[in-house]
């Protein structure tokens, strides 16, 4: 069961081809009490195909989704207003704003950009960098593939402390402007890192 006032990353199974599993990423946020629980994601359900749009839905229990694999706590809740503001700040489908090395906008790219903006604004603190978060997230999801449709919810950050093979699970690039962006460092908030990098 999800905990109150928490921000989660969610993964839903899309397909597996030649042992390569594809996931749909989302962000699940809970308030102090039900029904203040929402799933924020991007979708191409409406035409034109691959013209991704932000979708916000009230979801009482994400574990009930038949394709949900895992929900992992990433931070304390920044509040729905702050989350929606950060999500809206991502220039989705603007290829000029694609992170360096990414061929196209996907739910994974969008989630990482939203987390980056939340951390930059000081709305959340993440004790590890986005590369490690993605690496451990995918590792944990692959461990829980048999739980698809009855997803496990991680309410602690212990999943981030595990050692994961970089060669298999990442890292993936997240830099939008390589010369101006500071990656979230190990065991520090982005705001602290940005302050240090701006000092003369």
């Amino acid at each position: 069961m999800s905990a109150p006032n928490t921000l989660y990353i969610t993964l839903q199974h899309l397909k597996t081809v030649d042992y390569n599993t594809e996931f749909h990423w989302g962000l699940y946020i809970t308030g102090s009490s039900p029904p203040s629980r929402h799933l924020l994601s991007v979708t191409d359900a409406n035409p034109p195909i691959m013209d991704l749009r932000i979708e916000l839905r009230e979801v009482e229990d994400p574990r009930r989704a038949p394709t949900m694999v895992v929900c992992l706590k990433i931070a304390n809740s920044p509040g729905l207003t702050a989350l929606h503001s950060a999500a809206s700040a991502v220039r989705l489908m603007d290829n000029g704003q694609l992170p360096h090395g990414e061929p196209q906008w996907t739910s994974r790219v969008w989630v990482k950009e939203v987390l980056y903006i939340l951390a930059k604004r000081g709305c959340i603190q993440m004790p590890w960098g986005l590369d490690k978060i993605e690496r451990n997230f995918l590792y944990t999801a692959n461990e829980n593939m048999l739980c698809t449709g009855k997803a496990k919810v991680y309410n602690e950050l212990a999943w981030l402390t595990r050692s994961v093979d970089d060669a298999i699970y990442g890292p993936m690039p997240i830099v939008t402007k390589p010369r101006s962006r500071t990656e979230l460092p190990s065991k520090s908030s982005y705001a602290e890192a940005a302050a240090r990098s701006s000092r003369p």
Side-chain angles (χ1 to χ4, degrees):
M1 188 67 177
S2 58
N5 298 313
T6 303
L7 179 64
Y8 299 86
I9 308 176
T10 65
L11 276 188
Q12 292 178 264
H13 180 240
L14 290 177
K15 61 182 178 180
T16 301
V17 179
D18 295 331
Y19 302 102
N20 293 316
T21 303
E22 295 183 15
F23 297 104
H24 182 78
W25 293 51
L27 291 167
Y28 183 63
I29 187 170
T30 63
S32 56
S33 61
S36 54
R37 298 172 177 173
H38 296 82
L39 181 65
L40 190 67
S41 61
V42 292
T43 178
D44 63 353
N46 297 317
I49 300 299
M50 288 309 296
D51 184 12
L52 299 177
R53 296 174 174 83
I54 297 174
E55 179 181 67
L56 177 65
R57 293 181 290 128
E58 288 190 15
V59 175
E60 180 180 349
D61 187 352
R63 297 175 301 175
R64 296 179 181 176
T67 57
M68 188 68 72
V69 178
V70 70
C71 304
L72 297 105
K73 176 180 178 178
I74 186 61
N76 293 330
S77 170
L80 183 59
T81 300
L83 176 60
H84 195 272
S85 174
S88 300
V90 177
R91 295 174 64 178
L92 189 61
M93 303 311 295
D94 182 345
N95 289 336
Q97 296 299 312
L98 263 173
H100 179 69
E102 297 287 0
Q104 64 183 20
W105 282 100
T106 64
S107 61
R108 175 185 63 81
V109 175
W110 176 79
V111 163
K112 291 173 71 173
E113 290 296 290
V114 173
L115 292 176
Y116 166 79
I117 291 172
L118 285 171
K120 181 179 179 181
R121 292 178 176 179
C123 298
I124 62 173
Q125 290 191 351
M126 293 185 290
W128 284 273
L130 285 173
D131 286 342
K132 179 173 177 59
I133 288 170
E134 177 175 5
R135 188 163 56 244
N136 284 48
F137 190 35
L138 292 174
Y139 178 84
T140 306
N142 277 278
E143 270 196 332
N144 285 274
M145 281 299 296
L146 293 179
C147 297
T148 302
K150 47 184 178 180
K152 184 174 181 180
V153 177
Y154 289 73
N155 289 316
E156 305 293 338
L157 294 174
W159 63 275
L160 268 172
T161 64
R162 305 170 70 178
S163 178
V164 176
D165 188 348
D166 287 6
I168 299 176
Y169 292 101
M172 297 293 290
I174 61 97
V175 179
T176 297
K177 297 179 180 178
R179 295 184 180 178
S180 62
R181 173 174 290 188
T182 303
E183 166 66 303
L184 291 171
S186 175
K187 298 185 179 179
S188 176
S189 70
Y190 177 86
E192 294 169 343
R196 288 196 297 270
S197 65
S198 63
R199 292 172 186 163

